[in-house]
Each structure stands twice: as structure tokens, then as C-alpha cells.
Amino acid sequence: MNSLPVIVVGAGPVGLTSALALRAQGLPVVVLEAASAGRLRPGSRAIFYHRQTMQLWEDIRAGLGWEIANAGLVWSTKRTFWGETQVYERTYPFPPPGVMPASTNLGQVDAEKILFRHCTEAGVQFAWDQEVTDAKTSPEGVIVKTSSGKEWHSKYLVGTDGGRSVVRKQVGIELEGPRIEDAFVIVDVAEDVDDPIRPERLYYYEHPAVEKRNVLLVPFRNGIRADIQLRRGDDPKHFSDPEGVKRWLVRVLPEKYGDRVTWVSTYQFLQVVAKSFTDEHRRVVLAGEAAHLFAPFGARGLNSGVPDAIAAATGITQALNAANPQQAAAAIQEAADRRRDAALYNRNASNLALEHMRAHDWRTRLKRKASVMIAKYGSRAGSYLDSAPFGPRAAARQASDGIY
Ligand SMILES: Cc1cc2nc3c(=O)[nH]c(=O)nc-3n(C[C@H](O)[C@H](O)[C@H](O)COP(=O)(O)OP(=O)(O)OC[C@H]3O[C@@H](n4cnc5c(N)ncnc54)[C@H](O)[C@@H]3O)c2cc1C
């Protein structure tokens, strides 16, 4: 059987980005996807994309980054409250024409539709109903079997089949890290386009209307995400069944949104990173949630999956053009190690955000309380209260190439 240069497993946002990055390198690409063509992905996941992500999309496919930037909602004001008291507010100027916004907010389903269209226009081949059940690597390449009974051979494979990655398990790579005990209920509502709320991100510590639970409200194109942090001992069902959602939602948003719910999920987040992002033969590169899962505060999931995908494509291109097998293996290892370092940094940043929100440590509680007391005298304490639930913004230079 003829061996393809590279296969991508999984047509989620990271798989689609991998395929585009490989096409940008001039390689033919086949994406194997378990779902059927034209599937509508259930659920609501990413909404917040950093400028870095849009810029990377633009780099691999002219017009793509801008299309997603413009499709999303760009809000410029963020406010933070402690109970009823506002402790921080900042409004950013809108970027001048031709400058990417610092972020854009768009439902993941809509971002994926745009990515998919660009893939088809760029000549990416899709094989639907191809659930990978088996993947074996050797010094020569990869053999993949799918539930349809087909066998696929390739020199390299990008594993982007999500958090339950069969590819990762098949090549014997484990995820390491804890599950966070605290539960969050995340609700999306449809915006009322005739009478929308002000497009601003609001974070409430100890929201007085919901018995002092923390609440995050983030507007995105045609919707609003409302996120409530449950207390230990709370029954998640009480906050996530239809009546329960309505009960708390109408206390943190205008009443009409109680009848505009489009999606509800309860999460206990994993903070895990794969032991290695490549297999023993340096033929598979893991990217996105196949390689790492973080709590979404700070939006480090998809935003870090995109540079993973591009690093995988660059490493594979170098390996295919390498002068000898050692050089090829080194190119794959370098890409895998660089992105694993970035994932460890991101997990740490996400852990900091979670600890700040959960405040299980007395030092965190003290720092938060002290910041509230002095926030009215200067913006630094307020800025800390505003940004800490999302973790540090910048990447550690030593942890990656400055891209996280
Ligand atoms: C509530 C929530 C909010 C979030 N918000 C943000 C945010 O604002 N910003 C951000 O950057 N990230 C966010 N994330 C994270 C983001 O959603 C993920 O990082 C992203 O979906 C990962 O994409 P992926 O392509 O790696 O995996 P997935 O999206 O899971 O895609 C995997 C694909 O592989 C396919 N597949 C699975 N198994 C197989 C198989 N065996 N064979 C073939 N195909 C297979 C699946 O059908 C799917 O198409 C959020 C996550 C959650 C839960």
C-alpha cells in the first residue's frame, strides 16, 4: 500500500489548523474524522481567541485570521466587582484599521465552520466516518486502522483526536496531572440582537445575588457565556437542570435571558499534560487536547492548540526533507519538546488562575481581601483582582519560544 506523507486524525479546530499548516508547507493532507460529513458539533466550548492565534491563522492562510477576527465580537471594556462594589474597570481603544484586535469572541462551532471552509479551499482531503481504533508506529512510519475496516499508511501522523485521544493511548503515552474538585456550570444564552446588553466582560467575586458565588459573564458574537463557580457541597444538578439554570441566571443577567438558554454543561476540569508529545519512533506528534487539557480560565486550550498544530506541521516538513533518519527524528523531537514546555507553562498559569478563584490557601484569601481593601486607592490592586482569575497573560520566555 502507498504511504501518505502525513495523516491528521481529528477534524476539531486543532486538526483543521494542522491540515492548513501542512498545506501551507505544500504537503498533501488527509484528515481522518470519526464523525460523519456535515456533522453539527454539539456543545459550546471556546469563545475567546487571542490576537496571537488569529495572527498564526493569518500566517498559514491569508485572510483566515482576519475572517475569524471580524466574525467575532470584539469587546473593549472589562469590569470586576467584589460583591456589589466595582474594584476595577478598563476600556481599551479599538485598534486602528489594519491592526488585529487583542482578542475576538466567537462560538467554537462558528470558528470551526470558517476553518473547515478554508481547508476545503486549500485542498485538504477529508475522510469521514473513519474512527481510528488502532495506531502502530515503527521506524518507517505509521499504520492506522479505522472502524470502517480501512487501513491507512503514512510517514507521519498528527494526533488531534481530542481529550480521549485513541492515537495517544495506542502509542502508549499517558496524561499526567490532577482533576480539580470544584465544579463550574457554564451556560450560553442567545443574545437579543434588537436589545443587546453592553458588550463588556464582567467578573464578580462573591456575587451577592447568588449567595456569594463567583460569576463570569463574557459576551461573544450572538451570545453571552455565563459561568458560575459552585461551592463545595453544592449539588451541580440544582444549578444545571432547566429550572436550576433559570433560577441563578436571571439574577446575574436581565430576566429575558432565562428563556434564551442554548447550552448548559457542568465541568470539573482536568489539568493534564501528556508525558511526551511524540512516540518512541518520532512518527506521531500530539497536538491540542490530545496532548493537554486545562481549565478554560485564561483561554489556553484552543489558543495553545493552534501553535501546537503549526509546530507539528513545521517539524514534520523538516523531517520529510531531512538528510537522514537522525535529523528527521531530531526535528520531530524538537517540535514536541517545545510545545510540551509551553503546555507545562500553560497548566501552571491555569493552576494559578484556579487557585485564585477557589482561594483554598489562606495566603490567597488574604491577598484577595487586602487587594479589595486598597483597590479604591489605586488601580494596581484592582488590576490584580481583575486579571488573576485568568492567570498570567504573557508566556514565559524560557518555557517556550514566547508563544504559548
Ligand atoms: C467550557 C469550555 C470553554 C472553553 N473556552 C475556550 C476559550 O475561550 N479559548 C480557548 O482557547 N479554548 C477554550 N476551550 C478549550 C477548547 O474548546 C479546546 O482546546 C479545543 O476544542 C480542542 O480542540 P481539539 O481539536 O484539540 O479537540 P476537539 O475539539 O475535541 O476535536 C477532536 C476531533 O477528533 C475527532 N475524534 C475523536 N476521536 C477520534 C478517533 N478515534 N478517530 C477519528 N477522529 C476522532 C472528534 O470527533 C473531533 O472532531 C474551552 C473548553 C471548554 C470545555
Side-chain angles (χ1 to χ4, degrees):
M1 180 179 269
N2 278 344
S3 184
L4 299 163
V6 54
I7 282 174
V8 175
V9 178
V14 180
L16 297 173
T17 303
S18 305
L20 284 171
L22 288 159
R23 288 298 298 132
Q25 301 277 1
L27 290 168
V29 186
V30 177
V31 179
L32 306 184
E33 167 56 49
S36 301
R39 55 112 178 241
L40 211 60
R41 288 189 95 193
S44 175
R45 301 172 77 188
I47 52 168
F48 186 91
Y49 311 97
H50 294 296
R51 177 189 287 145
Q52 172 191 282
T53 304
M54 294 181 275
Q55 195 57 62
L56 290 172
W57 276 327
E58 189 65 23
D59 291 347
I60 56 168
R61 175 96 182 145
L64 170 61
W66 276 108
E67 189 173 342
I68 292 185
N70 293 331
L73 174 75
V74 178
W75 42 258
S76 55
T77 298
K78 48 187 195 166
R79 294 195 286 145
T80 292
F81 297 80
W82 190 282
E84 281 168 355
T85 309
Q86 181 172 309
V87 291
Y88 187 76
E89 172 168 359
R90 181 157 182 201
T91 297
Y92 298 91
F94 274 98
V99 175
M100 279 272 180
S103 63
T104 198
N105 294 264
L106 179 70
Q108 185 169 320
V109 175
D110 293 321
E112 285 176 19
K113 280 185 196 153
I114 296 173
L115 285 164
F116 177 68
R117 179 166 43 74
H118 277 268
C119 279
T120 51
E121 287 167 8
V124 174
Q125 301 292 308
F126 286 88
W128 303 98
D129 301 308
Q130 299 297 321
E131 182 185 354
V132 169
T133 52
D134 193 82
K136 293 272 174 298
T137 61
S138 70
E140 283 72 46
V142 191
I143 301 175
V144 161
K145 289 187 186 148
T146 57
S147 53
S148 67
K150 274 197 172 180
E151 199 171 277
W152 303 77
H153 293 230
S154 66
K155 294 204 164 51
Y156 292 95
L157 182 148
V158 190
T160 53
D161 50 341
R164 297 198 171 96
S165 173
V166 169
V167 170
R168 184 187 66 234
K169 288 175 197 149
Q170 284 287 308
V171 298
I173 301 173
E174 286 168 17
L175 291 174
E176 293 177 319
R179 172 189 289 277
I180 300 303
E181 291 296 308
D182 303 56
F184 295 78
V185 174
I186 297 183
V187 173
D188 283 355
V189 297
E191 182 50 289
D192 176 358
V193 284
D194 297 325
D195 181 23
I197 57 165
R198 278 175 64 185
E200 45 186 27
R201 191 227 68 196
L202 303 175
Y203 186 75
Y204 293 87
Y205 293 89
E206 304 192 353
H207 197 305
V210 285
E211 291 89 29
K212 295 191 168 184
R213 291 177 182 81
N214 297 339
V215 172
L216 171 66
L217 299 173
V218 185
F220 60 97
R221 177 67 71 204
N222 299 327
I224 306 164
R225 171 155 302 168
D227 179 329
I228 188 167
Q229 180 185 342
L230 303 190
R231 291 220 202 92
R232 289 209 167 155
D234 280 345
D235 177 0
K237 278 206 200 94
H238 186 69
F239 293 82
S240 60
D241 66 23
E243 283 312 305
V245 167
K246 208 165 169 175
R247 207 166 24 241
W248 65 266
L249 194 66
V250 298
R251 295 195 225 153
V252 302
L253 278 171
E255 199 172 348
K256 63 182 175 184
Y257 292 105
D259 297 319
R260 304 182 74 88
V261 173
T262 55
W263 186 259
V264 182
S265 325
T266 304
Y267 290 98
Q268 274 185 309
F269 294 108
L270 293 168
Q271 293 284 84
V272 292
V273 174
K275 260 187 180 173
S276 167
F277 281 20
T278 186
D279 68 300
E280 59 176 321
H281 299 296
R282 315 293 177 267
R283 292 286 165 176
V284 165
V285 187
L286 300 177
E289 287 203 339
H292 49 73
L293 285 150
F294 313 125
F297 309 103
R300 291 164 192 278
L302 194 156
N303 282 304
S304 69
V306 166
D308 291 351
I310 292 171
T314 309
I316 287 170
T317 308
Q318 287 168 352
L320 285 166
N321 294 327
N324 55 54
Q326 292 75 17
Q327 225 180 56
I332 298 293
Q333 191 69 55
E334 191 279 328
D337 288 348
R338 183 154 43 87
R339 291 313 302 163
R340 185 165 184 274
D341 284 352
L344 293 173
Y345 172 80
N346 280 323
R347 178 173 61 181
N348 193 32
S350 179
N351 275 335
L352 287 175
L354 278 168
E355 166 49 25
H356 180 85
M357 293 164 81
R358 297 150 76 215
H360 290 332
D361 189 320
W362 63 269
R363 281 163 291 212
T364 312
R365 289 198 291 278
L366 194 66
K367 196 169 173 195
R368 291 192 340 177
K369 279 268 152 74
S371 301
V372 176
M373 285 164 71
I374 58 173
K376 56 181 167 233
Y377 302 114
S379 67
R380 271 186 69 178
S383 168
Y384 162 73
L385 288 167
D386 179 78
S387 62
F390 310 101
R393 269 174 43 199
R397 292 243 164 255
Q398 73 279 15
S400 69
D401 48 6
I403 292 180
Y404 62 104

